[in-house]
């Protein structure tokens, strides 16, 4: 087992960070996004430099970024949440009804929407964590249940912009230093969740659970509690996305949120989050959300038909999954070579053997992580 331990790297922290950035999946997605925006702007400069070009480029993906961040927390535990679209619709309608029926202040309505989303996420988490039923089945069922409740509650009713306070609707259009307020909200959430997943013990344990659930249980990690937390977080962010949807569009109908759950999963996968759990970052998921939304806006400008818009999105998802499997197999071969031939084997790459990414990937190789990883290997 000692052959699998990491030697301290001789490279400086700045060098290691630069190498990590250059080898990251997020950089590839960012490059594709920049090239897409540049090509579309060359075709029509109004896409970026028009009266609302820059604002729409940042504002439109905000809702999907929130969903993709929550979806990432669930997927890295080797689960999935397909109910976020229905949760978004329910909370968006709740937001409008609270303004009409109660006259609560804006902050109270926002908190109520987030709380309702968290409760719906808790239902998913309880059924998955305690029922031992695959999340795909559970959340597929709750997706239809939540949508049915929404349709029964809303019926043919439609909440219009005049039903909501002007200050709330202004949140969907106002900007600070040229950045839309809703985009700032999404970026703040992205930063907080990203920091938690990368540095907090609870966040690192989510990766460990997704890497090997059985080893995580043997190691004594609170698997049930962490999975519950991931689903509650996903539900709460879907609730916040519902509030954002109401503020962004100013109207709420029974079709709000339909089909967006697949876009959230697609954004996470395109951004490098492994669909089999254990690796990926919210930064990549956010870039994937920006890329998906920008594709939908760019391809018509480039003269590509609606059919090819969907086909391009599908090809991106398939390509991301294939690339993920190729990288995982390459990493597995490197680990086997390091164990068989020692830490100085050429296959391990410069600077010693590869990091034990299959156990706790996607984060800094701290001493704590290395120690925990070694202990998990011993348990096996």
């Amino acid at each position: 087992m000692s052959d699998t331990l990491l030697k301290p790297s001789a490279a400086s922290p700045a060098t290691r960070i630069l190498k990590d950035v250059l080898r990251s999946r997020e950089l590839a997605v960012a490059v594709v996004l920049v090239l897409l925006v540049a090509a579309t702007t060359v075709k029509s400069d109004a896409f970026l430099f028009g009266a609302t070009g820059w604002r729409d480029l940042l504002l439109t993906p905000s809702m999907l970024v929130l969903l993709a961040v929550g979806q990432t927390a669930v997927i890295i535990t080797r689960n999935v949440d397909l109910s976020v679209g229905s949760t978004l619709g329910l909370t968006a309608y709740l937001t409008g009804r609270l303004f009409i029926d109660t006259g609560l202040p804006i902050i109270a309505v926002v908190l109520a929407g987030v709380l309702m989303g968290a409760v719906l996420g808790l239902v998913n988490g309880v059924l998955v964590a305690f029922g031992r039923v695959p999340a795909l089945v559970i959340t597929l069922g709750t997706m239809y249940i939540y949508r049915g409740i929404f349709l029964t509650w809303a019926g043919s009713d439609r909440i219009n912009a005049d039903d909501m306070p002007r200050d709330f609707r202004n949140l969907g259009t106002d900007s600070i230093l040229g950045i839309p307020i809703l985009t700032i909200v999404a970026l703040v959430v992205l930063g907080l969740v990203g920091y938690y997943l990368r540095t907090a013990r609870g966040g690192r344990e989510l990766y460990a659970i997704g890497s090997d659930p059985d080893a995580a249980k043997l190691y004594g990690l609170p698997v049930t509690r962490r999975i519950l937390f991931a689903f509650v977080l996903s539900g709460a962010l879907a609730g916040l996305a519902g509030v954002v949807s109401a503020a962004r569009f100013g109207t709420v109908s029974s079709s709000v949120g339909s089909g967006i759950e697949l876009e959230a999963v697609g954004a996470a996968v395109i951004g490098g989050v492994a669909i089999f759990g254990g690796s990926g970052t919210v930064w990549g998921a956010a870039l994937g959300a920006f890329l998906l939304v920008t594709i939908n806006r760019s391809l018509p400008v480039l003269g590509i038909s609606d059919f090819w818009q969907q086909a391009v999105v599908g090809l991106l998802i398939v390509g991301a999954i294939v690339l993920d499997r190729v990288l995982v197999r390459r990493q597995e071969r490197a680990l086997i070579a390091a164990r068989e031939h020692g830490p100085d084997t050429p296959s391990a790459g410069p600077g010693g053997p590869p990091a034990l990414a299959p156990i706790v990937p996607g984060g800094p190789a701290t001493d704590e992580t290395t120690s925990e990883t070694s202990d998990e290997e011993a348990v096996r």
Side-chain angles (χ1 to χ4, degrees), residues 70 73-81 118 121-135 138-139 196 202 205-210 212-214 216-217 221-235:
V74 173
I75 291 178
I76 61 176
T77 64
R78 207 174 281 197
N79 290 290
V80 69
D81 186 357
L122 178 63
V123 172
N124 290 330
V126 168
L127 293 174
V128 172
F130 291 101
R132 309 294 182 186
V133 180
I138 290 294
T139 57
Y196 172 79
E205 288 178 350
L206 292 178
Y207 284 101
I209 293 169
D212 194 332
D214 293 333
K217 290 178 183 176
L221 299 185
V223 175
T224 301
R225 192 165 75 239
R226 296 301 179 209
I227 291 178
L228 274 176
F229 170 78
F231 277 100
V232 170
L233 177 63
S234 176

Side-chain angles (χ1 to χ4, degrees), residues 3-226:
D3 289 344
T4 64
L5 295 178
L6 298 176
K7 288 182 177 180
S9 174
S12 66
T15 302
R16 292 200 301 271
I17 292 174
L18 180 61
K19 287 182 177 179
D20 288 342
V21 170
L22 293 177
R23 290 183 298 190
S24 68
R25 295 273 297 278
E26 291 83 352
L27 180 62
V29 178
V31 169
V32 172
L33 177 61
V34 170
L35 292 176
L36 179 64
V37 172
T40 310
T41 304
V42 169
K43 180 74 174 181
S44 172
D45 58 0
F47 179 79
L48 185 60
F49 301 111
T52 60
W54 170 253
R55 192 198 69 169
D56 290 346
L57 183 68
L58 296 179
L59 181 59
T60 307
S62 301
M63 190 167 59
L64 188 56
V65 167
L66 292 173
L67 295 179
V69 169
Q71 197 69 244
T72 300
V74 173
I75 291 178
I76 61 176
T77 64
R78 207 174 281 197
N79 290 290
V80 69
D81 186 357
L82 296 180
S83 68
V84 291
S86 301
T87 301
L88 184 153
L90 262 174
T91 54
Y93 191 72
L94 173 71
T95 301
R97 293 308 317 176
L98 287 177
F99 282 128
I100 295 173
D101 299 334
T102 67
L104 288 172
I106 293 175
I107 184 65
V109 173
V110 172
L111 292 177
V114 174
L115 179 61
M116 182 176 183
V119 171
L120 297 178
L122 178 63
V123 172
N124 290 330
V126 168
L127 293 174
V128 172
F130 291 101
R132 309 294 182 186
V133 180
L136 179 66
V137 178
I138 290 294
T139 57
L140 183 63
T142 55
M143 178 185 75
Y144 287 112
I145 293 172
Y146 296 163
R147 179 62 62 179
I149 295 173
F150 181 25
L151 293 176
T152 302
W153 187 17
S156 59
D157 186 27
R158 179 187 180 92
I159 295 175
N160 299 308
D162 293 338
D163 298 324
M164 293 182 278
R166 178 180 295 275
D167 289 342
F168 178 72
R169 285 183 282 122
N170 288 341
L171 293 176
T173 55
D174 287 350
S175 302
I176 298 177
L177 301 176
I179 302 176
I181 291 177
L182 296 185
T183 302
I184 295 175
V185 171
L187 293 178
V188 169
V189 170
L190 174 66
L192 292 175
V193 177
Y195 180 80
Y196 172 79
L197 292 179
R198 184 172 178 81
T199 61
R201 183 181 182 85
R204 307 309 304 159
E205 288 178 350
L206 292 178
Y207 284 101
I209 293 169
S211 296
D212 194 332
D214 293 333
K217 290 178 183 176
L218 289 173
Y219 190 69
L221 299 185
V223 175
T224 301
R225 192 165 75 239
R226 296 301 179 209

